[in-house]
């Protein structure tokens, strides 16, 4: 007669060895990669359990870096951007190296200082097909690219109160406007080319790059 395998028990938490950090279900963790030269994998702990020998395993939902996705990294992807995938796995808890925070895109853009363990996510990713949810996001600037929080942008005072569907038209990359980042930081006022009429063209040109009398609207 076959013996019944001892059952597993769910755990509320797991203490990362060699640290004082405790992982709980729902936390985001850094996991040791197979190749030491690669950055740690990022995952969300979905379940923590121990077997009868007290071996602890964790069920994770993986985050993908842009370069790990089918389409690869694109210009608008931030350096700390991750995609929440539909790829689940079970790993030994010993492979957990630390904890991290995966912010929403909105909250990440409000951070005053981005730490080594800060990431952000604005897309869910289907690992098998390469599909994204949402499949459309607002685009900015003349180049019509989604917002990369690592890039400095300037805000046009003329068109900041209106937008086209799925396109925010008031924010621009300095390079797309023929400016350097240094020039953009010195701006007093900024009007995009569409907002500069014949009557105020001279005033707009004189405002760039004049010595600022008030802080320019610069978006990071």
């Amino acid at each position: 007669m076959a013996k019944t395998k001892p059952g597993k028990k769910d755990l509320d938490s797991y203490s990362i060895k060699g640290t004082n950090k405790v992982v709980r279900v729902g936390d985001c963790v850094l996991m040791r990669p197979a190749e030491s030269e690669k950055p740690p994998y990022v995952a969300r702990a979905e379940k923590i359990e121990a077997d009868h020998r007290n071996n602890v395993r964790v069920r994770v939902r993986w985050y993908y870096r842009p370069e790990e996705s089918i389409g690869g990294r694109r210009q608008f992807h931030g350096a700390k951007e991750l995609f929440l995938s539909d790829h689940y796995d079970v790993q030994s808890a010993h492979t957990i190296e630390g904890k991290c925070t995966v912010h929403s895109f909105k909250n990440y853009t409000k951070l005053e200082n981005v730490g080594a363990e800060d990431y952000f996510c604005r897309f869910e990713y289907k690992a098998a097909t390469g599909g994204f949810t949402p499949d459309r996001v607002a685009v900015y600037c003349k180049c019509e690219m989604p917002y990369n929080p690592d890039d400095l942008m300037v805000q046009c005072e003329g068109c900041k109160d209106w937008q086209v569907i799925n396109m925010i038209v008031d924010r621009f990359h300095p390079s797309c406007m023929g400016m350097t980042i240094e020039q953009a930081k010195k701006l007093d006022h900024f009007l995009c080319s569409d907002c500069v009429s014949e009557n105020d063209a001279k005033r707009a040109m004189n405002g760039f790059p004049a010595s600022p009398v008030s802080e320019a609207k610069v978006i990071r």
Side-chain angles (χ1 to χ4, degrees):
M1 183 175 177
K3 293 182 179 180
T4 303
K5 293 183 178 180
K8 299 177 181 179
K9 61 178 180 180
D10 291 344
L11 302 179
D12 294 327
S13 63
Y14 170 77
S15 297
I16 303 174
K17 287 192 174 182
T19 75
N20 59 358
K21 295 180 180 179
V22 176
V23 175
R24 293 180 172 82
V25 172
D27 287 346
C28 293
V29 294
L30 302 170
M31 306 195 73
R32 185 170 60 251
E35 300 175 31
S36 59
E37 67 275 9
K38 289 188 175 182
Y41 297 129
V42 182
R44 189 171 71 191
E46 300 288 320
K47 186 177 183 180
I48 305 171
E49 62 182 16
D51 63 18
H52 68 288
R53 294 181 179 176
N54 211 31
N55 295 316
V56 181
R57 299 179 70 81
V58 56
R59 186 171 191 263
V60 299
R61 184 176 182 182
W62 294 111
Y63 283 96
Y64 279 44
R65 289 182 171 85
E67 55 269 25
E68 297 167 340
S69 67
I70 292 175
R73 179 173 288 278
R74 298 183 62 187
Q75 180 182 345
F76 64 87
H77 291 142
K80 306 300 291 289
E81 184 158 7
L82 302 171
F83 309 144
L84 180 61
S85 78
D86 58 354
H87 178 188
Y88 292 83
D89 205 354
V90 176
Q91 295 286 318
S92 168
H94 294 304
T95 61
I96 299 176
E97 294 184 325
K99 295 176 66 175
C100 63
T101 302
V102 181
H103 303 270
S104 69
F105 180 72
K106 183 178 181 180
N107 288 343
Y108 182 84
T109 60
K110 294 179 180 179
L111 293 178
E112 292 186 4
N113 296 297
V114 177
E117 296 175 351
D118 287 314
Y119 298 88
F120 75 90
C121 177
R122 56 179 156 180
F123 296 109
E124 291 193 11
Y125 175 70
K126 293 187 178 298
T129 64
F132 289 93
T133 303
D135 59 357
R136 290 179 179 271
V137 292
V139 296
Y140 298 78
C141 189
K142 297 286 187 181
C143 62
E144 297 188 8
M145 294 292 288
Y147 181 39
N148 181 340
D150 300 330
D151 291 343
L152 178 143
M153 302 186 82
V154 292
Q155 187 170 43
C156 174
E157 296 180 1
C159 60
K160 63 184 179 181
D161 293 328
W162 63 283
Q163 68 182 67
V164 180
I165 295 175
N166 286 328
M167 179 176 178
I168 310 298
V169 295
D170 67 337
R171 300 177 186 180
F172 299 87
H173 301 111
S175 59
C176 294
M177 296 292 102
M179 291 182 281
T180 65
I181 291 176
E182 289 71 25
Q183 288 173 324
K185 289 180 178 180
K186 294 177 181 179
L187 282 175
D188 179 9
H189 302 286
F190 171 71
L191 292 176
C192 70
S193 56
D194 291 337
C195 291
V196 178
S197 65
E198 292 183 2
N199 291 334
D200 61 11
K202 185 176 181 180
R203 177 184 63 80
M205 292 178 65
N206 288 338
F208 161 69
S211 298
V213 294
S214 61
E215 187 176 354
K217 186 80 172 190
V218 176
I219 303 159
R220 296 181 185 278

